[in-house]
Amino acid sequence: MSAPQPADAVVIGGGVIGAAIAYHLGLSGLGRVVLCDQGRTAAQGATSRSGGLLRLHHTASPDIALTARSLPVFENWAEVIGGDCGYRRTGFVMLVGEQHTDALRENCERVGAFAGHRRSEVIGTDDVRTLYPGLSVEGVGAAAYEPEGGYADPAATAGALFTAARRLGVSPSEGVRAERVVERSGAVTGVQTSIGLIESPLVILASGAWGSAPAAHLGIQIPVIARRIGLAQASLPGAGRRGSPVSVPTCVDDTTGGYFRPEGLDRFYFGVPSNPDVRLDHDVAPLTPQEVDAAVAAISRRVPAAAKAPLVGTRSGLDGYTPDRRPVVGAAGPEGLYLALGFSGGGFKLAPAVAELAVREITEGGAVIGKAAQELLEPYRPQRFLGGRPIVPEAPYDHM
């Protein structure tokens, strides 16, 4: 067997982040780009288990700024990327307890400051019921509404990016495990994989729950913890139809710590908290009936019709979480190593902006990318944990 061909860049990880970075590298004309994934792209990690929520409302300004840059890409996907990402505008609602009313208002004001004409506005609970009759607002102290919020299909999004990247000449390598980054004299020379050494002066780790493991021998120790994540789907005719008695928005409910959204007109997705203990390189256990039942009980407090909605499927997978629950993006260690990992359950909605800015930084350099653009990535640098500079929400809630 011949050794793999050399590359100008190797991207490790075939989820939505890796696919977006590979696409932008192809767009940049850098040269031969290889995208490696140990399974099938967008099949085993967090992407295909993501809820796909698209919202601007966050409790930390850096997250608002990046999502404000990403949302227009989802809205205009066919023109910008090509294909279909499954974007649907349902409206987004953020629900909090009475104790967080002031924080909610403060975060809505930040959305206006960072997202310009886009709105996240505080509305009354009566308004919530009028907009979405399927919601119960019992125990809700305050709500924020984003008319332009919604969701997209994470697997379709990654697939469209993957297809667009291939059109640009990106070479996929599925079923290829990255074992270790190789360096010489302080510079990356390639990555040792399960099929041999791929020589390359640039390696981007977008490896999700697997974190920075391929670079650990180089002293790169990013605190990323692998966690099991879960998602369930139920049949709920009318869930996505405005005016229906059971219609619901795309929603994050801080009073219960849950999230949910419609899927099309007749289905309903919701997150399932699960036993987080996992062992990497082993099959992820399916969600148990007990886990799903507990999630249904919690969700039914907010969406009463969910209590009797027939389940049609569940998913479980892995994601990587950092101590401050924000991603790590930037250069680390030897020249030519770049990290984009640890997205902590929130990577999907950030992917277009993170990939665009990261590739510009890699190919153009900090002096060219511009101060304003570089400042968007600055809070997420790998060195923040060593320097004691975690990202701290300005106006936090119980679960955000």
Side-chain angles (χ1 to χ4, degrees):
M1 181 188 300
S2 301
Q5 287 182 267
D8 296 287
V10 178
V11 181
I12 306 300
V16 68
I17 300 296
I21 289 173
Y23 164 75
H24 278 280
L25 285 170
L27 202 63
S28 75
L30 178 68
R32 185 170 187 267
V33 178
V34 175
L35 174 61
C36 294
D37 193 273
Q38 62 183 340
R40 295 183 60 195
T41 54
Q44 292 184 338
T47 295
S48 62
R49 280 79 174 178
S50 167
L53 278 62
L54 297 177
R55 58 184 168 93
L56 297 172
H57 197 105
H58 286 79
T59 57
S61 295
D63 298 337
I64 298 173
L66 283 183
T67 52
R69 196 179 182 99
S70 284
L71 184 57
V73 178
F74 287 106
E75 293 173 326
N76 301 284
W77 192 269
E79 295 77 20
V80 177
I81 306 293
D84 183 10
C85 70
Y87 169 71
R88 299 294 182 270
R89 179 175 168 175
T90 63
F92 169 78
V93 173
M94 180 79 217
L95 303 174
V96 301
E98 185 69 36
Q99 72 275 25
H100 295 306
T101 299
D102 290 342
L104 185 85
R105 193 173 305 278
E106 188 177 330
N107 288 322
C108 286
E109 291 173 356
R110 284 197 183 87
V111 169
F114 283 94
H117 68 283
R118 297 181 184 274
R119 292 183 291 143
S120 183
E121 57 187 352
V122 178
I123 61 174
T125 53
D126 288 343
D127 296 320
V128 174
R129 282 194 295 259
T130 299
L131 286 166
Y132 301 102
L135 282 187
S136 166
V137 292
E138 182 181 356
V140 173
Y145 174 55
E146 293 178 23
E148 295 165 308
Y151 68 89
D153 182 324
T157 299
L161 286 164
F162 185 64
T163 298
R166 290 194 68 171
R167 286 199 301 266
L168 294 167
V170 172
S171 177
S173 289
E174 294 185 325
V176 175
R177 180 190 300 276
E179 297 173 347
R180 62 187 180 90
V181 177
V182 180
E183 65 90 27
R184 184 168 52 245
S185 302
V188 166
T189 59
V191 58
Q192 186 68 42
T193 75
S194 54
I195 62 170
L197 175 67
I198 303 177
E199 295 180 356
S200 175
L202 174 63
V203 173
I204 297 106
L205 295 182
S207 35
W210 285 262
S212 57
H217 64 289
L218 301 176
I220 308 299
Q221 300 287 347
I222 303 299
V224 174
I225 303 298
R227 289 181 54 185
R228 180 165 164 263
I229 57 175
L231 186 70
Q233 186 184 40
S235 175
L236 189 59
R241 185 181 299 113
R242 284 293 182 94
S244 162
V246 296
S247 67
V248 295
T250 297
C251 181
V252 172
D253 180 10
D254 191 67
T255 69
T256 64
Y259 69 87
F260 52 87
R261 66 166 174 85
E263 169 73 6
L265 298 178
D266 60 357
R267 292 201 173 186
F268 176 68
Y269 269 114
F270 57 96
V272 179
S274 63
N275 181 351
D277 295 334
V278 295
R279 289 191 299 163
L280 293 174
D281 304 324
H282 290 73
D283 289 340
V284 181
L287 296 176
T288 67
Q290 294 79 13
E291 289 171 331
V292 176
D293 287 348
V296 170
I299 289 293
S300 298
R301 291 170 49 196
R302 196 59 63 222
V303 184
K308 296 182 178 180
L311 287 172
V312 295
T314 68
R315 301 175 190 169
S316 60
L318 299 174
D319 202 358
Y321 284 73
T322 63
D324 62 8
R325 299 174 66 90
R326 265 77 184 179
V328 169
V329 183
E335 182 181 352
L337 179 63
Y338 199 93
L339 310 181
L341 44 82
F343 281 82
S344 307
F348 176 71
K349 60 186 173 298
L350 302 178
V354 167
E356 176 223 342
L357 294 169
V359 170
R360 285 181 60 192
E361 186 171 59
I362 289 167
T363 59
E364 301 174 13
V368 179
I369 188 176
K371 182 179 179 182
Q374 197 169 30
E375 284 179 350
L376 293 175
L377 294 181
E378 201 59 37
Y380 302 97
R381 299 308 191 193
Q383 297 79 13
R384 73 181 187 271
F385 297 114
L386 289 176
R389 300 185 306 274
I391 296 174
V392 178
E394 293 98 333
Y397 306 134
D398 288 341
H399 298 280
M400 288 178 66

